[in-house]
């Protein structure tokens, strides 16, 4: 290079794992060794070598075929001065494999640096980086680090230090690497948020702790990061659309973020190295080294990355074939023309492969030079397989649904089926084969188009470039990224792409001499398939031409084109590497080596280069340069021709043709001869310099002067070709991703590296906290502050809330609950207060039903009358009474007991079931009546006709009859053994009504009475006295009770003798009183007085009965209201104009089509219907392939190429959300012979909106129509979008907007039956006081799942009981938003109703900042609209008609049902609070609508307690734990019996079966759902608005990017707007697409 001044280039070839990178390293080290001679150059040499360490760490990975395989292509230019001294080096990397970061192949690793980071950091450093986990914790790491990784980390740190990376920068690099590892651990789950579930919202991050760590490291808020990962923006047409990502798609988005973060870090590191070690001037000479990824062919899977690698190898291989074997161009052409006898070799030319891949032949590839205007794929204009892929990629970017990898494969096989380079894949499906120079490779087309597009989410750029407080992260996203802005807002990025090209241009040594061919020339190598229409081809080409990005394959081609253009016509050295085997073992695989030798044409190269010449000169140049040598040989005769003189020299030197060839114009020298001549010349030059130095010390160096004067370039190199191409604007492609090539930092020499003795740890900041490295730089926000007064009701309620929740400290809510804002905290406290109120209320209800009677009349549940005991008279239900105590002897009776030949069996015990068996177990009288009876012979004879006696009487003590039973001989056996044994079976007390005692006394002379609430029976005593003493008055040992006691029982039997006892007991001594009372208690006690008939005990029962009767009365009225006998009336024809309003959000195409078609084919005049469809935002629902507005327009058949401009309007929202944009479309929709006009309003939002642009909710969609009709009615000023709606309805459709009298509101998943509209309008026309009406809602998917099955009965009964009953009062409290109709204005006076300013103003509430408002307006907007209508127009009616019917799709998944019911329950509760407070509701007292609403509110709040009570009833009945609950069971039976009667009378037999499903689901409906709903009262997204509460007012503070001002929206009356149209020669009648009809008003 020094002798010729010719740039050199080394091309390293070989398959992957053949050692190219190792050769590059060795070769570079040798060059540095030769070119460094002082301290400065040595330092630069060290930096260059250490830069390779950095690139290897970040760009190499362990594979199955190579322990350190490079995963990027690299072209490195080593820059030298005129003396061959090192000046610097430029590193050009391209086609970096970022997919390996997140998806390393099986048995392979991701990049080395991740493993080095885990292996080399200390414990403190791991803690600071949050990576103190095992490697398997990180999903992106498939293997564990090795000991070498720890050493490599030390080398990496040393290399970074040597290359001048500051400590803080290195720390930030490692922090980003840690963040990437943590990103891989993020997990996603379906959104269980109740609002989101029903609305198909995006998934959410499951492990929020990891999200917080990643967000901290990236310098963004967790909320923004989560939004970025779970939503995805897509530009469709001119509008941005939001895609809701499910967990699988979010994982892909997560991996894309990680891969792009690593890729941009790699690019930044490469550019940082270039800024350190690249010479910023123009070097004298350059030696280039091209080392790219080797040829790859894996047996299991080859994807897009392998395709790109092999495309690059194919292109370089073809270039080398041209350089080696082409005699028509380049140096070989000069040699042939000069007569050099080059050996002719017939090589296998694989140019057909590039023709297949690129659509270009060898000649076209050679003439394709860099051009300044080549910035897009269409400008590059490739054909072949890549061109076909580019066109499908362009269509994929626009959202074309048929732009799939499968269709790409089909088109490829169809178009190139006959191409000889295309091979039939050996894989059965989804693949194609290409015959490469190194063998046939099968490629799977999975993700081909997506990876070829390689779009970088604009969300990532907006988040990390503009919203990150981490300056390092923000800086990374300032360069190397091509971006595209929104067509309506240049500040908003909608598309982005991370370049796969080098960030710098190669040092091109010449200008392009030929222009490229036109882009559309020979685009396809094969004819266009006949089955493709010209229109489809035109559309595909148009899409391709409009694509503003360059695909990955095109970037690769452009990179190689520029590099090869730089290399061409320089001195090229081709180094071929041979891999000995595929197992990385010290073995020699002959077959593998032979195949590589054949692929790289080594035998042909040996033959071709038999004549190899290092340099050539013109004859005059040769003689001038080697004049001294010629003179030495005596060949200085000027008379001879120069050619003859050179030939004579060759003869004298005995140079053969292989050493020197004398051609017609040039003399060709091989390396040995040329070196020998140059060595002699160098000696002479050295002597000349020495002599010159001795004469003039201060003169310029003779050697330099000599070199500059004598160094001769090749003849075909002129001055222009020597200029570096990087300085020329020709390379600049206009993209925004090329880093600036500034001068190297002063730190390149490492003087201020700031590493210190502690190395890396010094950069971690205080306490090793990585978060300290993040600079807190937030973009300025605008706070919109609005002061709103606080009502007295609200103030008192907040005080009550604090009273109930004072014991919960606010810091606890911040630390544990993560509720940092006061308004969220107070909402949580309100929720807790409401839950406490509900719990207290439920407790009161439960106490009232179950506990009140027990408190007022305790023990009643354990009282049994003789009749109740007699009911338990079976073997499995055996109750017995013993001396006033009732026992459950069922279990006891199942085991035999007894002895001495007397064994009690179960059958014997069953015979006594239900009776008083006191006589079977008599205690000894000498003990029971101690002091009164002393003779053991005395016994009481029982009356066995009333209560039977067992066959064996259990006498004990001195009356024991079987001495062998030792236990019974104990005088106290009855108290010590019997009573303790049966105590466990006690269930209650035996009670007697005094009326029953009196009846027995009168009927069969029973001697029983009550003393002190105890009932005693002396009937058997008196009978025994008569039996043994002759008469009652006879004195004997059997008459052992006091005569006073006997007289008391004789005279007052059947009564409560407590007072008489107190009167007569004084006739006995205290000792006698005690003995007689003890005897009565021990032997003659039969129970206690029954208090259950007393007033104190019957009070609660009668109270419950009264409420039960009231409820039964209400149920009966509801039943009668539900009957509504009579046949369905005949539909009437009407001429009223109706707006059919359909708000839609994320519904699928099937649901939308079903709704739109059902409205279109309704049996109603088509010209008097208007489909008014509002698409709530540019969102793409789960499972949809297009945004909702596009789906609607496609259904309606609208030509989406006619895309109108968006118009401003005011939305329902907070702060800047109030400014919105909408597009208005109109036309006619035809379905089944019906042609109906339509208006579609697509809310697209501001261009700067990222998440769900344009979306403001269903209430805002309803307000669009209400506001519009309000301003039409009052001729008010309108927003631009409302003016456009007015224009489309009046001038395009041809109906004046004021004609419309009714609004039919239908949800987008609802199918309306044909005659429903006629029935609704008939009802309203027959009663002018009806302002709102609804029909029956049926389920369209009742059999789909168990979730839908349990809803069928509930849907039906809610209409035919609840709404039919409310309709009697004319006050249906909730018109369902899915199917209802409102009157626009009154029929006579034309007073506005639903468009009344009062309704519109209240319904358009922007400040939804309290828990109550959130539940009203965010969950129950339809209910609240009904309430507002009833509030402002109490004299009008809300009705229900069963004749109008629709079918809706019920939630078929439990999660969605949970979401829907939570919305319903919570909104119902808060809405009923509002309804109860309405001043005017029809009826009075218990017959008023207010009372019914109050009952509904109580019923909703007490749903859980009602289920608890039902469980209690089941327990009581099943366990016989108390009296049978006849009243409760009767009410339940009556309730469902009435409903069955409704089913029978209406012949809805199937609902009897559906009722059974509902009964089985009662725990869900009455317990779980309400409990869940109550606790999620505050489960909302609170947005950017916070509330600061003062004494008398609260401040609503909305934090936005920009401030909203009402004046931002220009308002104008229609008359003024229409006049302007006329003045601008845009008359409304000149529209070509007018669908104007003629109507008679």
């Amino acid at each position: 290079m020094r002798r010729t001044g010719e740039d050199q280039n080394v091309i390293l070839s070989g398959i992957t794992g053949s050692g190219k990178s190792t050769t590059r390293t060795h070769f570079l080290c040798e060059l540095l060794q030769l070119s460094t001679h002082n301290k400065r150059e040595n330092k630069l040499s060290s930096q260059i070598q250490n830069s390779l360490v950095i690139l290897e760490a970040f760009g190499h990975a362990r594979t199955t075929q190579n322990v350190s395989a490079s995963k990027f292509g690299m072209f490195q230019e080593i820059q030298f001065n005129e003396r061959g001294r090192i000046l610097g080096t430029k590193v050009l990397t391209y086609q970096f494999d970022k997919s390996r970061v997140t998806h390393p192949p099986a048995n392979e690793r991701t990049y080395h640096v991740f493993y080095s980071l885990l292996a080399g950091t200390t414990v403190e450093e791991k803690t600071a980086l949050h990576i103190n986990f095992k490697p398997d914790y990180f999903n992106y790491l498939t293997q564990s680090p090795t000991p070498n990784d720890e050493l490599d980390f030390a080398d990496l740190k040393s290399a970074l230090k040597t290359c001048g990376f500051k400590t803080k920068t290195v720390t930030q690099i490692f922090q980003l690497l840690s963040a990437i590892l943590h990103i891989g651990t993020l997990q996603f789950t379906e959104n269980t948020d109740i609002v989101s579930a029903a609305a198909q919202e995006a998934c959410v991050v499951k492990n929020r702790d990891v999200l917080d760590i990643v967000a901290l490291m990236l310098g963004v808020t967790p909320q923004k990061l989560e939004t970025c990962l779970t939503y995805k923006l897509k530009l469709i047409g001119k509008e941005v659309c939001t895609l809701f990502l499910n967990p699988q798609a979010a994982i892909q988005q997560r991996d894309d973020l990680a891969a792009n973060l690593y890729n941009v870090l790699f690019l930044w590191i490469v550019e940082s190295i270039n800024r350190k070690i690249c010479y910023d001037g123009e070097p004298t000479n350059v030696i280039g080294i091209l080392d790219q990824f080797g040829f790859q062919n894996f047996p299991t899977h080859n994807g897009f990355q392998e395709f790109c690698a092999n495309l690059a190898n194919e292109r370089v291989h073809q270039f080398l074939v041209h350089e080696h074997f082409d005699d028509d161009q380049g140096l070989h052409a000069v040699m042939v023309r000069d007569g050099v006898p080059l050996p002719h070799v017939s090589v296998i030319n694989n140019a057909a492969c590039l023709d297949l891949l690129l659509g270009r032949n060898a000649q076209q590839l050679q003439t394709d030079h860099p051009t300044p205007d080549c910035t897009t794929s269409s400008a590059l204009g490739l054909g072949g397989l890549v061109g076909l892929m580019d066109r499908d990629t362009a269509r994929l970017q626009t959202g074309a649904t048929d732009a799939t990898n499968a269709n790409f494969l089909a088109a490829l096989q169809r178009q190139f089926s006959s191409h000889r380079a295309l091979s039939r894949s050996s894989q059965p499906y989804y693949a194609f084969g290409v015959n490469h120079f190194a063998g046939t490779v099968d490629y799977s087309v999975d993700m081909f188009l997506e990876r070829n597009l390689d779009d970088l989410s604009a969300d990532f750029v907006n988040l990390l470039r503009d919203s990150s407080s981490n300056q390092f992260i923000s800086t990374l996203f300032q360069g190397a990224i091509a971006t595209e802005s929104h067509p309506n807002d240049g500040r908003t990025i909608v598309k982005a792409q991370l370049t796969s090209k080098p960030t710098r241009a190669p040092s091109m040594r010449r200008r392009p001499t030929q222009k490229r061919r036109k882009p559309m020339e020979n685009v396809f190598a094969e004819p266009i398939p006949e089955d493709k229409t010209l229109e489809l081809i035109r559309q595909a080409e148009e899409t391709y031409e409009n694509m503003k990005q360059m695909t990955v394959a095109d970037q690769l081609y452009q990179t190689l084109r520029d590099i090869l253009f730089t290399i061409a016509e320089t001195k090229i050295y081709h180094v071929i590497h041979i891999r000995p085997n595929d197992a990385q073992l010290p073995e020699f695989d002959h077959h593998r080596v032979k195949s590589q030798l054949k692929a790289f044409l080594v035998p042909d190269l040996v033959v071709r280069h038999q004549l190899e010449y290092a340099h050539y000169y013109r004859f005059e140049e040769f003689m001038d340069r080697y004049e001294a040598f010629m003179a030495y040989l005596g060949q200085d005769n000027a008379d001879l021709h120069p050619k003859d003189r050179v030939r004579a020299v060759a003869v004298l030197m005995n140079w053969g043709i292989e050493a020197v060839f004398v051609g017609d114009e040039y003399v060709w020298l091989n390396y040995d001869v040329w070196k020998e001549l140059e060595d002699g010349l160098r000696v002479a030059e050295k002597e000349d310099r020495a002599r010159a130095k001795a004469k003039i010390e201060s003169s310029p160096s003779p050697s330099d002067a000599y070199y500059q004067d004598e160094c001769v370039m090749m003849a075909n190199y002129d001055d222009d070709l020597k200029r570096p191409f990087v300085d020329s604007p020709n390379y600049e492609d206009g993209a925004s991703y090329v880093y600036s090539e500034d001068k190297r930092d002063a730190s390149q020499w490492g003087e201020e590296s700031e590493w210190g003795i502690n190395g890396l740890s010094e950069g971690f900041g205080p306490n090793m906290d990585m978060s300290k490295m993040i600079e807190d730089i937030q973009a300025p926000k605008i706070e919109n502050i609005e002061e709103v007064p606080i009502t007295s009701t609200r103030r008192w309620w907040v005080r009550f809330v604090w009273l109930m929740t004072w014991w919960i400290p606010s810091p606890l809510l911040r630390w544990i609950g993560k509720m940092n804002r006061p308004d969220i905290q107070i909402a949580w406290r309100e929720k807790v207060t409401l839950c406490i109120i509900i719990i207290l209320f439920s407790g009161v209800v439960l106490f009232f039903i179950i506990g009140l009677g027990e408190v007022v009349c305790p023990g009643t549940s354990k009282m049994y009358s003789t009749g109740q005991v007699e009911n338990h008279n079976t073997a499995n239900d055996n109750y017995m009474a013993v001396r006033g105590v009732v026992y459950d002897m069922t279990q006891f009776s199942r085991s035999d007991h007894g002895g001495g030949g007397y064994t009690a069996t179960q059958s014997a015990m069953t015979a006594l079931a239900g009776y008083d068996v006191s006589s079977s177990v008599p205690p000894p009288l000498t003990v029971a009546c101690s002091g009164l009876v002393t003779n053991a012979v005395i016994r009481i004879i029982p009356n066995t006709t009333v209560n039977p006696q067992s066959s064996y009487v259990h006498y004990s003590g001195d009356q024991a009859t079987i001495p062998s039973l030792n236990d019974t001989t104990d005088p106290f056996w009855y108290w010590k053994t019997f009573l303790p044994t049966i105590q466990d079976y006690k269930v209650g007390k035996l009670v007697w009504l005094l009326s029953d005692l009196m009846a027995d006394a009168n009927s069969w002379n029973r001697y029983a009475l009550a003393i002190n609430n105890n009932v005693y029976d002396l009937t058997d005593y008196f009978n025994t006295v008569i039996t043994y003493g002759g008469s009652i008055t006879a004195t004997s040992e059997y008459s052992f009770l006091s005569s006073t006691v006997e007289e008391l029982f004789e005279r007052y039997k059947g009564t409560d003798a407590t007072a008489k006892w107190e009167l007569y007991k004084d006739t006995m001594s205290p000792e006698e009183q005690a003995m007689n009372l003890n005897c009565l208690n021990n032997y003659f006690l039969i129970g206690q007085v029954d208090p259950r008939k007393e007033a104190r005990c019957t009070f609660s029962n009668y109270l419950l009965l009264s409420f039960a009767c009231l409820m039964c009365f209400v149920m009966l009225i509801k039943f009668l209201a539900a009957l509504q006998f009579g046949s369905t009336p005949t539909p009437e024809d009407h001429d009223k104009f109706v707006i059919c309003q359909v708000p839609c959000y994320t519904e699928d195409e099937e649901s939308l089509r079903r709704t739109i078609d059902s409205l279109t084919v309704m049996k109603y005049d088509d010209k008097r219907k208007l489909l008014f469809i509002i698409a709530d935002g540019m969102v793409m629902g789960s499972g949809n392939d297009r945004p909702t507005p596009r789906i609607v327009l496609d259904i309606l058949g609208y030509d989406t190429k006619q895309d109108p401009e968006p118009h401003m309007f005011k939305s329902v929202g907070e702060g800047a959300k109030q400014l919105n944009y909408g597009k208005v479309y109109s036309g006619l929709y035809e379905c089944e012979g019906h042609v109906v006009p339509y208006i579609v309003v697509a809310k697209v939002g501001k261009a700067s909106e990222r998440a769900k642009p344009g979306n403001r909710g269903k209430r805002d969609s309803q307000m669009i129509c209400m506001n519009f009709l309000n301003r039409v009615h009052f001729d008010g000023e309108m927003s631009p979008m409302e003016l456009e709606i007015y224009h489309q309805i009046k001038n395009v459709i041809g109906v004046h907007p004021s004609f419309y009298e009714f609004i039919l509101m239908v949800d987008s998943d609802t199918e309306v039956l044909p005659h429903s509209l006629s029935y609704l309008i008939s009802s309203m026309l027959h009663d002018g006081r009806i302002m709102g009406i609804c029909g029956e809602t049926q389920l369209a998917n009742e059999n789909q799942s168990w979730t839908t099955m349990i809803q069928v009965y509930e849907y039906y009964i809610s209409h035919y009981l609840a709404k039919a009953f409310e309709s009697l009062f004319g006050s249906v409290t909730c018109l369902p938003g899915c199917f209802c109709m409102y009157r626009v204005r009154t029929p006579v006076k034309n007073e506005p109703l639903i468009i009344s300013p009062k309704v519109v103003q209240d319904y358009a509430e922007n400040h939804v900042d309290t828990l109550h408002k959130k539940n009203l307006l965010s969950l129950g907007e339809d209910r609240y609209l009904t309430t507002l209508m009833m509030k402002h127009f109490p004299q009008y009616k809300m009705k229900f008609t069963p004749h109008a019917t629709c079918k809706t799709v019920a939630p078929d998944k439990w999660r969605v049902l949970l979401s829907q019911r939570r919305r319903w329950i919570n909104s119902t509760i808060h809405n009923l609070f509002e309804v109860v407070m309405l001043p005017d509701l029809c009826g009075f007292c218990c017959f008023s609508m207010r009372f019914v609403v109050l009952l509904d509110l109580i019923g909703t709040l007490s749903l859980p307690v009602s289920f608890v009570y039902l469980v209690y009833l089941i327990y009581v009945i099943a366990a016989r734990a108390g009296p049978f609950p006849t009243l409760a069971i009767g009410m339940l039976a009556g309730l469902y019996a009435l409903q069955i009667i409704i089913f029978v009378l209406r012949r809805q037999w199937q609902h009897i079966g559906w009722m059974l499903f509902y009964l089985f689901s009662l725990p869900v409906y009455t317990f779980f759902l309400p409990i869940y709903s109550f606790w999620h009262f505050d489960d909302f997204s609170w947005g950017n608005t916070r509330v600061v509460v003062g004494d008398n007012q609260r401040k609503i503070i909305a934090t936005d990017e920009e401030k909203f001002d009402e004046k931002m929206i220009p308002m104008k009356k229609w008359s003024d707007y229409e006049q302007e149209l006329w003045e601008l020669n845009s008359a409304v009648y000149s529209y070509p697409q007018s669908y104007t009809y003629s109507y008679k008003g």
Side-chain angles (χ1 to χ4, degrees), residues 1284 1287-1288 1291-1292 1617 1621 1626-1635:
E1284 181 64 18
H1287 159 66
Q1288 295 290 343
N1291 299 323
V1292 179
Y1617 178 72
L1621 289 180
S1626 302
V1628 294
Y1629 302 107
S1630 64
Y1631 281 83
Q1633 290 189 349
S1634 177
Y1635 313 108

Side-chain angles (χ1 to χ4, degrees), residues 282-356:
E282 181 178 348
T284 303
N285 287 108
V286 170
I287 295 180
I289 306 174
L290 178 60
D291 175 22
Q292 65 177 8
F293 23 72
F295 186 85
Q296 300 177 11
N297 186 6
F298 298 98
T300 56
H301 178 81
N302 294 293
F304 181 77
Q305 191 64 31
E306 287 73 27
F307 173 81
C308 291
N310 294 341
L311 171 62
N313 279 278
E314 193 73 53
R315 177 68 185 93
V316 173
H317 177 75
Q318 186 63 30
F319 171 79
L320 291 171
V321 169
H322 168 77
E323 291 294 325
H324 287 304
F325 299 102
D326 191 356
D327 291 342
D328 298 329
Q329 295 180 5
L331 183 63
H332 289 164
V334 176
M335 296 175 72
V336 171
R337 287 196 305 268
D338 202 39
V340 179
L342 290 176
H344 179 73
V345 180
S346 298
V347 297
I348 301 175
N349 191 344
N350 206 45
C353 181
L354 284 178
D355 181 65
L356 169 67

